[in-house]
Amino acid sequence: MTESIKPVHVIGAGMAGSEATWALAQAGVPVVLHEMRPVVKTDAHETDGFAEMVCSNSFRSDDPEQNAVGLLHEEMRRTGSLMMEAAEQAKVPAGGALAVDRDIFSGFITERLSNHPRVAVERGEVDGLPPEDWDNVIIATGPLTSAKLGTAIGELTGDDELAFFDAIAPIVYKETIDMSVCWYQSRYDRVGSGGEGAGGAGKDYINCPLDKEQYETFIRALIESEKTEFKEWEKSTPYFNGCLPIEVMAERGVETLRYGPMKPVGLTNPHNPDVKPYAVIQLRQDNKLGTLYNLVGFQTKMKHGEQKRVFRTIPGLEKAEFARLGGLHRNTFLNSPTLLDHAMRLKAQPRLRFAGQITGVEGYVESGAMGILAGRFAAAERLGRDILPPPRTTALGALLAHITGDAEASTFQPMNVNFGLFPEVEIPKDENGKRVRGKAKGPAKKRAHTSRALADLESWLKPHAEAAE
């Protein structure tokens, strides 16, 4: 480890902590990475590996031209993201999405960080505020911050703890899916970057069709099922809208799921091509071997016995065996617009910097992205360089601006990256010099956002690269 530079301490080896550690180490700054697992377990994790994926195995869209999260993927790749490198090694077929084998992904990151010459890993809980001699700390403990550390942070900030519930989707053994009923197909036969699925190009998902009667029966079963009961102190905790339990969506109206995760568009059942399914449940490959598939969008708070009963009413899943059942865990996050400065430091104690979901971003990719920035900012601070936040026109900059001031503090909730966080962009003109209108306007505007973002990102990265030389 570099003797002349004092180490930065990173608490938590999830997505954000792993990315922050990697950014620091690659910048030449020694790091002590603290991870409490397996000494102290959480309600959601199953392993002691770094960057374990506890909900979906998907990083969502990988389209860098038309999708904000796909743009964020590309920005992360250009900043040297360890997550994106691991995803490339672990990706599985998922149409236009970037999905990975969880074990390969976590194993890759664990190996790279554990064997990095500038990284020292310490297993065990940091059970309060870090010691005063830790003068540069990144707290990336995610939504499952330990009770003792969470209490200490709450006492320091003087702010009431904010929290929401996050749910986990079940995983099915592929061999127990009835393929005489189900079929392989991506929506609109879209071919993705994860390689061919078991069904071939453009056939990355397994689809279970439901007619109207089956759909309505399924909805009733969801609503009437036994759910996990909350403790008294949890009852006022809201859900994050981007990860609602399937039965909560069902309660919002009988048609809600048909316009959400069960929409039947872009799919044709080869077993009955003349009849359009009333609704479709999709399963996405969860591991490299293709032996496990998760129910897309089917996060749930149903009790385990109820999950087996209800999900086995789905056509094609009557004999399904589950590698993992769904679950529910309580997440916590800071009111970051009030508490953090532009470099993600806690205003009340600037030696403490926060990253990841605890700052109020939602999603694996967004958490990792904030880890990259926290690591870069901490490295610049340790090396005596100016801290240069990314332009707000980039996905990285838009997320950072949202959590450090743009969002309304009184209504602050976890946020995925989206084009609504970006500054307005000029609508491009067509070949006749006129502004694009009609159906072409939306795609053209998205391309304008993404092209501007990547150009501005390159300008931001240039002085960083020169400083490192």
Side-chain angles (χ1 to χ4, degrees), residues 102-176:
R102 302 165 195 262
D103 294 334
I104 294 175
F105 177 83
S106 175
F108 182 92
I109 290 177
T110 303
E111 189 276 332
R112 294 297 293 274
L113 292 179
S114 298
N115 294 314
H116 198 293
R118 284 187 287 274
V119 177
V121 177
E122 292 191 2
R123 298 280 184 171
E125 182 181 7
V126 176
D127 59 1
L129 289 182
E132 289 294 332
D133 62 337
W134 295 10
D135 63 339
N136 195 330
V137 181
I138 296 174
I139 298 177
T141 46
L144 297 169
T145 300
S146 68
K148 293 178 182 179
L149 179 57
T151 298
I153 293 169
E155 291 174 351
L156 176 61
T157 61
D159 203 52
D160 291 337
E161 182 185 28
L162 299 178
F164 67 99
F165 280 115
D166 203 0
I168 302 171
I171 297 174
V172 176
Y173 289 103
K174 159 64 176 60
E175 63 183 13
T176 66

Side-chain angles (χ1 to χ4, degrees), residues 2 12 18-19 79 82-83 94 178 181 198 204 241 254 273 299 308 330 372 399 433 447 449 459:
T2 307
S18 295
E19 285 283 30
T79 56
L82 181 61
M83 279 176 61
D178 185 352
V181 174
D204 294 346
N241 279 329
V254 70
Q299 301 80 217
K308 292 179 181 179
R330 187 173 185 263
I372 290 173
L399 271 176
R447 282 193 294 272
H449 270 301
S459 297

Side-chain angles (χ1 to χ4, degrees), residues 207-218:
N207 301 277
C208 305
L210 293 86
D211 60 27
K212 184 176 181 180
E213 182 179 354
Q214 290 169 328
Y215 174 77
E216 292 175 348
T217 299
F218 179 69

Side-chain angles (χ1 to χ4, degrees), residues 187-227:
R187 293 193 194 280
Y188 304 105
D189 302 309
R190 187 169 183 178
V191 178
S193 61
E196 288 193 5
K203 298 181 179 181
D204 294 346
Y205 293 80
I206 292 177
N207 301 277
C208 305
L210 293 86
D211 60 27
K212 184 176 181 180
E213 182 179 354
Q214 290 169 328
Y215 174 77
E216 292 175 348
T217 299
F218 179 69
I219 296 300
R220 284 195 300 272
L222 287 175
I223 294 172
E224 295 169 1
S225 64
E226 286 190 83
K227 283 82 171 181

